[in-house]
Amino acid sequence: MDEKIVSCRGLVKRYGKKTALAGVDLELERGKIVGLLGPNGSGKTTLIKLLCGLLQPTEGAVRIGGKPVGPETKAVVSYLPDRMYFADWMKGHDLVGLFADFYKDFDRKKCEDMCARLELDTGERVKAMSKGTKEKLQLALVMCRNAQLYLLDEPIAGVDPAARDFILNTIITNYNEASTVVISTHLIGDIEKVLDEAVFLKEGKAVLHDGVDVIREREGKSVDALFREVFRTDGREGGEA
């Protein structure tokens, strides 16, 4: 088994004349919780979509567990998008059944138990759920796969502080310790306490990748404080890149 669950070499992604990723070199080991950190428009969502095979690189290469992105790697990646993609007429238990039918590595019993602990009414339709409830349901579905790589795109955006803590605790206590979790966010202060490593994306480039304890010791400040310093002139909003 390749120790590097993610390997990117010279990764470039362009949308027409816009460059979302400008030559990313990145390696992630197994057994880590990694923060993919950057302001809106820095390339976080683009990188995640390349890792899970939803996009193809313009240049460069991506490998998951030593293999090029394709059907084999997609089977070991569990992806939480930044927007819910389920039909709003579906009920929670419909989605649990869908995941059980579609993913061989999905643990239905674990998901049903997690939904109960999260006090989710799986008989409720998606359209009747609050944003926080939808986030919890999506997270339960994604984290109850026995995957090698979990890609969570903005899992705590738009939910209240109590829900954020609950979601982060769910991530910590339910992922496979032989796998890696990548959490994309710009809300550094909320997730720093759970991270092993941090990757800073700025203008489509990985400008920093290190252990959070190393960063704190070397810089004499928190990852959140360093993030604010590095990106203090970045006031951009909007865009999925």
Side-chain angles (χ1 to χ4, degrees):
M1 182 180 290
D2 196 313
E3 290 184 3
K4 306 295 184 184
I5 185 62
V6 170
S7 180
C8 301
R9 289 284 181 269
L11 193 58
V12 174
K13 181 61 182 178
R14 300 189 188 95
Y15 301 101
K17 294 182 179 180
K18 179 182 177 182
T19 300
L21 295 178
V24 171
D25 293 315
L26 179 66
E27 289 188 338
L28 301 180
E29 296 180 353
R30 296 177 185 272
K32 305 288 186 180
I33 299 180
V34 182
L36 184 61
L37 314 177
N40 292 336
S42 60
K44 302 189 302 297
T45 293
T46 294
L47 179 55
I48 283 180
K49 287 183 176 180
L50 285 164
L51 294 178
C52 61
L54 292 176
L55 293 175
Q56 296 297 314
T58 306
E59 298 174 17
V62 186
R63 299 182 79 85
I64 304 295
K67 300 172 182 176
V69 173
E72 195 172 356
T73 66
K74 289 180 182 180
V76 301
V77 173
S78 191
Y79 170 51
L80 176 73
D82 59 344
R83 293 182 178 89
M84 195 168 199
Y85 59 92
F86 304 122
D88 63 6
W89 55 264
M90 297 182 77
K91 296 181 178 180
H93 58 68
D94 295 329
L95 296 173
V96 174
L98 178 66
F99 267 60
D101 290 341
F102 196 78
Y103 296 108
K104 293 180 180 180
D105 62 0
F106 183 72
D107 189 333
R108 182 167 190 156
K109 179 63 166 58
K110 180 180 178 181
C111 187
E112 289 171 346
D113 290 346
M114 189 184 298
C115 287
R117 292 200 307 275
L118 292 169
E119 299 181 343
L120 298 177
D121 178 5
T122 56
E124 187 176 24
R125 295 189 187 278
V126 170
K127 63 182 177 183
M129 296 178 181
S130 67
K131 181 173 178 58
T133 299
K134 291 176 184 178
E135 295 282 359
K136 290 178 183 178
L137 176 59
Q138 278 198 118
L139 188 68
L141 293 166
V142 168
M143 297 307 297
C144 286
R145 287 185 57 199
N146 185 27
Q148 295 181 34
L149 178 63
Y150 298 87
L151 301 172
L152 313 180
D153 196 357
E154 299 286 358
I156 59 174
V159 299
D160 61 76
R164 288 177 188 174
D165 289 341
F166 207 101
I167 287 170
L168 291 174
N169 184 64
T170 301
I171 293 169
I172 295 169
T173 56
N174 288 280
Y175 86 102
N176 177 355
E177 292 184 359
S179 63
T180 287
V181 179
V182 176
I183 305 174
S184 164
T185 188
H186 59 276
L187 301 172
I188 319 304
D190 292 293
I191 73 160
E192 181 173 345
K193 60 188 177 184
V194 310
L195 298 180
D196 297 308
E197 298 180 357
V199 177
F200 282 13
L201 278 186
K202 184 174 185 180
E203 297 176 355
K205 296 181 179 180
V207 296
L208 180 149
H209 175 206
D210 223 328
V212 294
D213 291 336
V214 173
I215 292 172
R216 293 186 193 112
E217 183 175 349
R218 182 181 65 228
E219 303 293 338
K221 63 187 70 173
S222 68
V223 176
D224 186 33
L226 179 62
F227 179 88
R228 293 172 187 272
E229 180 180 302
V230 171
F231 297 101
R232 64 180 177 270
T233 60
D234 283 38
R236 293 170 296 174
E237 294 293 336
E240 287 192 358

